[in-house]
Structures are given as structure tokens and as C-alpha cells.
Amino acid sequence: MRIPCPYCGERDLSEFVCRGEVATRPDPTTLSAGLDALYLRDNPAGPTREHWYHAQGCRLWLVVERDTRTHAVTGARPAAEAGS
Amino acid sequence: MRYSIFSLAANALSGHRRWTPAWRDAAPQADYDVIIVGGGGHGLATAHYLAKTYGVRRVAVLEKSWIGGGNAGRNTTIIRSNYGLQGNIPFYEQSMKLWEGLEQDLNYNAMVSQRGVLNLAHSDSQRDAYARRGNAMRLNGVDAELLDAAGVRAMAPFLNFDDARFPIIGGLLQKRGGTARHDAVVWGFARAADRRGVDIVQNCEVTGFIRQGGRIVGVETTRGAIRAGKVGLAVAGASSRVAALAGLRLPIESHVLQAFVSEAIKPLIPGVITFGAGHFYISQSDKGGLVFGGDIDGYQSYAQRGNLPTVEDVCEGGMALMPMIGRIRLLRSWGGIMDMTQDGSPIIDASPIDGLYLNAGWCYGGFKATPASGLAFAHLLATGEPHPTAAAYRLDRFATGHLIDEKGQGAQPNLH
């Protein structure tokens, strides 16, 4: 699997750390929303959006679009620009 | 037909032409008392104990392809009960005791081989942790032996004892641990369940659930609708996908775990050996292949295959531990999809929806748990109460704070 870093170009998987599914920040005043955000996952079989960190490269946090059935990576943007 | 030396001799004399299929390839009936979704080891074990121990006979196991074609055929076949937390030890020891009597119970050779499981220690703190774990095991009646370096050397003289960074200073040995033949476990449970009237329905994928007044009363499948008093999911690897059909979100991420087997060589590895400084575990199959594995790849996947950085990482672990395997050629590698829960421990519990029960979240450790998981899930399905050995494996433990953090890691935070 190779990830097209918008800053460094297409780079090998071993340079990145995966944090997991992109989720919206939970409502801080509701306990159950916080618990859901901490522990529950959509865990889809198919296209998904994830946070990846380019630890051995530019150290940008990215939002990567990827298919969990095939590992095909269809896009990567800086998380700051993706707004999540 | 009951298998014995006499049945073998009789069939040998008749040229092995009279063996009959070990189980029926059943067609689904219109309704059952209990439907188990998933024809892997856990699902078939559940059906066996439901029929045998709890007297529930109208049971079907629905499998989307062929039985044992998922993670039951993709593991590294290790059995052990060397756990350290009270929520886990009685459960895994129950499993070990069932392994010890499994072949007689099933009348099937599962090739259970108690050749020992040795966890190596490379630092004083790690030895202290193993001493604590060994003591917890012995307090629960589980066998455990703390070895010093000389003790390890007597068992496995080929290890890299004097490595500058990770010297081997001892280990924790469970002699009753070992390996079993993964396919035979599936086939043995299938045959035993079938003999008690359980329908094993293959090529039957669950595509939805039938609800009546908020309760689940059956499943929609590729072979038609089937009604049931209770539905149990035993589909680890795909638990999130199947639970999503019922509108549930689970505390689970699906990750790919790779495993490897080398070409066959003469006997080399006595039992199962695990590297304590990295993540690498190895045993030798009866055919002679070295069977080994390491970490999950670290990203969500349903692809049943992994990537090369993890292959490199696993092989580096092996080379650090036993450099002489460097010239052995790799025969095959494959990936299985793990239900990774957020605390690394499984779930055997009723779901929030009436009539639907979960057996999920087995992380790396599903194979060794197969018999106890089946027994505990059968108990839950038959009585509505958790089995005493599995009472901690609740779905709501993440909300109540009763996590079972045996290793302090689940799918995250990348500490594998």
C-alpha cells in the first residue's frame, strides 16, 4: 500500500501511522456521545476516511480515502484542509 | 459411523471405499429454536454444546461459504491458558480442559498436542511480570513454570541467548499448552453437532434480520428467510458488518493479521516459542513447516491479505530470536481478519436487541478459545445468563469501565 502524501508525493506505507476512522468531535456535554466516540466504530467494508500521520516524512496529519476490502487508496489531503 | 481402530481396519480391508460423509450438507428448514450465524470453530462448537449439554436440538449453523473457510483456517493453531487477569484465566483454563478431552468428546482426532508454550523474558521487569502472571495462573489451578536462562537453554539451545540488546534471561512455560489441527477442530465439531441433529447449512449468507415488535425473530439469507427463537452471531472478523444489518455499532475494528509457514524441515522447534522483545511466535507443524506470525498490520482491513512492512517486521523478530532460520524458505503467507476490540478482550453477551446474541471481538486469540467460547455461548443462548467463566465478557463494559486490559492494548493506540 502506498499513500499519495500531498506534500511528499506517493510514499511507502511504512512511513505512516494509522490513527483510524475520521469521526466528528463528540458533544462534550453528553456522556454517551463521548463513550460512543471513544469506543464504537462504523468499521465499514468498503470506502472509508481515516486519519494517517506521515511520521517518517513531512509529519502532516492526513485524511486518507481508502477501500478496506482492497486497500486501494483513492485520495489523501491534509487534515487541516479537510476540516476534520 | 463411530470412528475407532475397528472402523479404520474394516474400511482399510474394503479399500477405503465405504467411508461416509462426516456431516450432512443440510438445506435450511423454515424455523429453528436457535440459529448460529457463522460456521467457523466457534459457531460449530456452540451448536455442539447447545445440543449436547443444553439439550437444544432444533439448531442451525448458517455459513456464507464453506465451514472453516474463514479465520478457523487462517490461525497459527496455538492453544494455551497463560493469562494474567481474573476475568480471563478461568475462561481460558476451561478451554484448555475442554481441549484435553476434546477428541474423546467429539470422537474425532483434532491432533491436540500439548508440546508446551514458552514465553521468553529479556529484562528483569519482564521476568517480574511473568512471575506475577505465573503466580496468578497457579492460584487458579493452571500450570506455570518460571524458567531461568539455563532452563530455557535446556529446552531450546538454538536461541540467540547473548543478543546485545535483547538477551534471553528466562521464560514462562506452560507445559499443557501447545497446538491443535485447526481444520480437524472445525470438522470434529461439525460432525459431532450433525450427529445430534444440528443442521449445518453452507453457502447461506445472512443478508438481514427479521424483526417483530422490536425483537429479532429470524434472518433473511441468500437461501430464503429462516425464523428462529434466538439468533447468535459467531462471525468474528465480520462482526461489525453483520451487526450493522441489525443497526448495531460495535466497539470493534477489523484488522488484518498475517501468518506464515516455511518449507518443511526436520524437527527443530520444540513446542511454541514467543519472543518477548518484539511480537513473534513460532511453532512447527507435524508436517515440518515452521508456522509463525507477529503483529497486526495496524489499519482497518477486510482484505484477508497484508502488506510487506509487516512481513519484514515479523521476519526481523524471527531473525533476532533464532538467526538460523534465515536460510529457510517461506512457503506461504496469508492474512486473517481480526475483530479487534478496544481492550483486546472478547465479547460473549446478549445484544441490546431482544433475540440477538453476540460472540465477537476475539482479537488475536480466537482459536485457543474455541471450545470454551462454544460452551459459554451455548450457555448464554440456552439459559439467557452468562456462563460463570465468561461473565466478564460483557458488551457494556466499555461504558461501565470494567475493561479487561490483559495487555493494555486493543486495536489502538498502535502499541502492538
Side-chain angles (χ1 to χ4, degrees):
Chain A
M1 197 154 76
R2 291 161 76 85
I3 292 174
C5 174
Y7 192 74
C8 308
E10 191 175 86
R11 304 296 297 171
D12 185 74
L13 172 67
S14 57
E15 295 183 2
F16 296 84
V17 175
C18 180
R19 193 209 59 84
E21 292 170 12
V22 173
T24 49
R25 201 167 279 274
D27 173 4
T29 61
T30 321
L31 179 62
S32 66
L35 285 170
D36 288 359
L38 257 181
Y39 294 117
L40 302 188
R41 301 287 185 269
D42 290 334
N43 198 19
T48 187
R49 294 172 76 234
E50 295 168 324
H51 281 131
W52 287 73
Y53 177 54
H54 197 180
Q56 307 295 322
C58 60
R59 293 160 62 187
L60 273 185
W61 278 96
L62 306 176
V63 171
V64 173
E65 290 174 14
R66 194 173 66 87
D67 192 314
T68 58
R69 293 166 303 184
T70 62
H71 298 163
V73 177
T74 49
R77 305 207 274 158
E81 284 177 22
S84 55
Chain B
M1 182 194 304
R2 190 177 161 76
Y3 295 156
S4 68
I5 186 71
F6 303 108
S7 73
L8 181 62
N11 278 285
L13 291 173
S14 59
H16 292 297
R17 286 187 298 271
R18 292 186 188 167
W19 290 109
T20 53
W23 65 85
R24 295 167 296 127
D25 191 17
Q29 296 173 29
D31 78 307
Y32 292 93
D33 291 339
V34 176
I35 285 177
I36 312 290
V37 184
H42 290 234
L44 292 163
T46 305
H48 167 68
Y49 292 112
L50 268 177
K52 179 191 169 222
T53 310
Y54 298 97
V56 184
R57 293 298 172 90
R58 295 175 62 247
V59 177
V61 177
L62 308 184
E63 166 56 46
K64 75 169 179 176
S65 60
W66 63 86
I67 61 168
N71 290 329
R74 292 168 182 272
N75 54 73
T76 46
T77 78
I78 297 166
I79 61 174
R80 58 184 177 86
S81 57
N82 54 359
Y83 279 70
L85 292 186
Q86 208 52 47
N88 281 329
I89 302 173
F91 175 81
Y92 287 100
E93 178 57 12
Q94 163 89 281
S95 206
M96 183 54 74
K97 285 181 177 149
L98 289 170
W99 283 116
E100 287 173 327
L102 192 71
E103 292 162 337
Q104 289 68 35
D105 181 25
L106 301 182
N107 179 228
Y108 202 91
N109 182 7
M111 295 169 69
V112 174
S113 169
Q114 293 179 289
R115 53 184 76 178
V117 172
L118 174 63
N119 301 135
L120 297 172
H122 308 270
S123 66
D124 288 341
S125 56
Q126 195 166 29
R127 183 175 49 200
D128 290 349
Y130 282 153
R132 185 218 165 275
R133 197 199 314 178
N135 285 334
M137 289 163 66
R138 291 172 76 127
L139 285 170
N140 280 275
V142 186
D143 70 307
E145 261 180 71
L146 196 63
L147 302 183
D148 58 9
V152 174
R153 203 181 282 271
M155 278 184 67
F158 51 81
L159 295 175
N160 191 8
F161 284 88
D162 303 317
D163 185 84
R165 191 163 173 212
F166 302 121
I168 294 167
I169 63 165
L172 184 66
L173 174 67
Q174 186 186 20
K175 281 188 176 163
R176 286 163 64 240
T179 59
R181 172 89 171 98
H182 53 99
D183 291 324
V185 173
V186 171
W187 299 331
F189 274 119
R191 176 168 169 274
D194 176 85
R195 282 158 66 95
R196 292 179 188 274
V198 171
D199 279 355
I200 298 168
V201 186
Q202 302 182 99
N203 299 308
C204 182
E205 181 173 358
V206 169
T207 55
F209 291 92
I210 306 170
R211 287 171 185 259
Q212 207 166 57
R215 186 185 165 82
I216 283 182
V217 295
V219 292
E220 303 279 0
T221 76
T222 49
R223 296 180 70 174
I226 311 172
R227 296 181 83 84
K230 290 173 180 173
V231 177
L233 303 186
V235 292
S239 295
S240 296
R241 297 174 71 176
V242 182
L245 298 173
L248 290 178
R249 286 176 90 216
L250 299 179
I252 286 172
E253 295 179 9
S254 293
H255 283 251
V256 60
L257 175 64
Q258 301 191 62
F260 309 84
V261 65
S262 78
E263 60 185 328
I265 56 169
K266 288 183 178 179
L268 174 70
I269 312 284
V272 180
I273 299 177
T274 76
F275 187 30
H279 200 171
F280 176 82
Y281 38 92
I282 188 167
S283 63
Q284 187 166 16
S285 78
D286 291 344
K287 274 195 295 189
L290 303 185
V291 182
F292 57 96
D295 280 329
I296 53 173
D297 271 35
Y299 47 84
Q300 280 163 251
S301 170
Y302 287 92
Q304 292 189 318
R305 63 176 186 276
N307 273 285
L308 290 173
T310 305
V311 178
E312 189 177 23
D313 185 59
V314 171
C315 292
E316 282 172 353
M319 289 299 289
L321 184 63
M322 40 182 82
M324 86 293 194
I325 65 171
R327 295 184 65 193
I328 295 175
R329 284 167 296 187
L330 205 59
L331 194 64
R332 284 180 286 127
S333 72
W334 62 93
I337 302 305
M338 311 291 105
D339 266 12
M340 297 300 296
T341 55
Q342 308 301 343
D343 63 353
S345 296
I347 297 162
I348 304 178
D349 200 1
S351 84
I353 305 172
D354 275 351
L356 184 66
Y357 296 80
L358 293 175
N359 176 329
W362 288 99
C363 301
Y364 290 62
F367 180 72
K368 73 177 92 67
T370 303
S373 162
L375 181 67
F377 201 34
H379 185 97
L380 175 69
L381 284 161
T383 67
E385 297 294 321
H387 191 274
T389 61
Y393 299 150
R394 293 178 60 102
L395 178 61
D396 68 358
R397 67 176 183 266
F398 301 97
T400 61
H402 294 86
L403 302 188
I404 313 164
D405 51 348
E406 177 82 32
K407 293 184 77 181
Q409 66 191 27
Q412 298 285 343
N414 297 313
L415 288 177
H416 295 272

